[in-house]
Amino acid sequence: NQAKDIHFELFSQPNGGRLLAVLLAGIVLWAVLQLIVGGAAQLGYAHFNLNLVDGKDAAISDLFSQKDRLWDGFCMKFLQGLYIALWSLLLVIPGIVKTYSYAMTPYIMSEHPSLTANEAITESRRIMDGNKWRLFCLDFSFIGWELLCSLPLYAGGFLVLKYFTGSEAMAISLVLLLTIPLSIGFFFVRPYEEAAWATFYRDITAAPTEPDEAY
């Protein structure tokens, strides 16, 4: 409740409407950029981690190796988001289940460039049949590290908004400046998680699976 009051006070200032519009425009711009470029970047990161898991030379250039697949990356992210959103209309649980069903799509598309986004999603559903719970448990094993990484970020943002609500520009500037140093832990945890996902992909594509009881 205190955090909600702080945000309300921040945007109720004389320039609060303008500040809110700028923030919303930034969020929309970031979402569009993620949709257009994020897919190709995700494919490149999958390629990097697969090379890492396979014992090959994983170079920084691998991250940009899929830059010519902007359309494939866009289709992948758009279709994944669309399908998950539609399943989520049935309640939260089906959406979560389908999120895990489609989780291996970037690795499949990175390894098999000839596949379309829809074909890769279908293949991900197939190989994740019987493995969704395993991936969920793998993700859950990182929960402690993620909570630990989140604490400085939330605590810092809360303190800034609490003591600088009288100056909107100063408050937002400080939040943005502190975001990277306060979330530095994620720069170590996320690569670890991504490498674990690539290892998981290699594991399930090398062994037969058993169907899940549902979905």
Side-chain angles (χ1 to χ4, degrees):
N1 289 334
Q2 186 175 2
K4 184 173 70 173
D5 292 340
I6 290 172
H7 285 80
F8 179 78
E9 183 181 350
L10 177 64
F11 294 116
S12 64
Q13 301 291 330
N15 293 323
R18 186 181 303 174
L19 177 62
L20 181 59
V22 171
L23 288 177
L24 291 177
I27 292 172
V28 171
L29 180 62
W30 176 253
V32 171
L33 186 65
Q34 277 287 310
L35 190 61
I36 296 175
V37 182
Q42 193 174 3
L43 292 175
Y45 199 23
H47 182 70
F48 172 86
N49 280 294
L50 287 176
N51 283 341
L52 191 67
V53 170
D54 294 339
K56 300 178 182 178
D57 291 333
I60 297 297
S61 58
D62 293 333
L63 301 175
F64 308 97
S65 61
Q66 310 294 310
K67 62 181 181 297
D68 58 339
R69 301 182 66 189
L70 289 176
W71 176 247
D72 290 339
F74 169 81
C75 291
M76 178 189 70
K77 289 188 74 70
F78 177 79
L79 290 177
Q80 276 185 296
L82 177 63
Y83 294 156
I84 291 171
L86 292 176
W87 276 100
S88 297
L89 294 177
L90 300 178
L91 291 178
V92 176
I93 299 300
I96 295 175
V97 171
K98 289 303 176 180
T99 298
Y100 281 97
S101 290
Y102 309 148
M104 297 295 106
T105 303
Y107 301 97
I108 295 170
M109 289 192 68
S110 175
E111 198 167 39
H112 305 284
S114 61
L115 294 180
T116 65
N118 214 36
E119 290 171 340
I121 289 174
T122 301
E123 178 63 13
S124 178
R125 287 173 51 201
R126 186 189 70 80
I127 65 175
M128 286 300 291
D129 190 16
N131 290 304
K132 292 186 282 292
W133 178 249
R134 290 180 57 199
L135 184 58
F136 175 81
C137 292
L138 176 63
D139 281 346
F140 192 76
S141 68
F142 290 98
I143 190 67
W145 288 110
E146 291 181 351
L147 290 174
L148 186 63
C149 293
S150 299
L151 285 177
L153 183 62
Y154 285 114
F158 177 79
L159 291 175
V160 167
L161 291 177
K162 180 178 181 180
Y163 291 106
F164 289 92
T165 51
S167 176
E168 306 92 339
M170 178 64 73
I172 297 302
S173 299
L174 286 174
V175 169
L176 295 177
L177 288 173
L178 289 172
T179 295
I180 293 180
L182 289 178
S183 61
I184 193 68
F186 287 107
F187 287 86
F188 297 94
V189 174
R190 285 303 303 165
Y192 187 16
E193 291 177 320
E194 292 292 339
W197 271 44
T199 304
F200 179 86
Y201 170 74
R202 275 287 176 256
D203 181 60
I204 64 173
T205 52
T209 63
E210 296 181 2
D212 287 331
E213 294 181 359
Y215 305 104

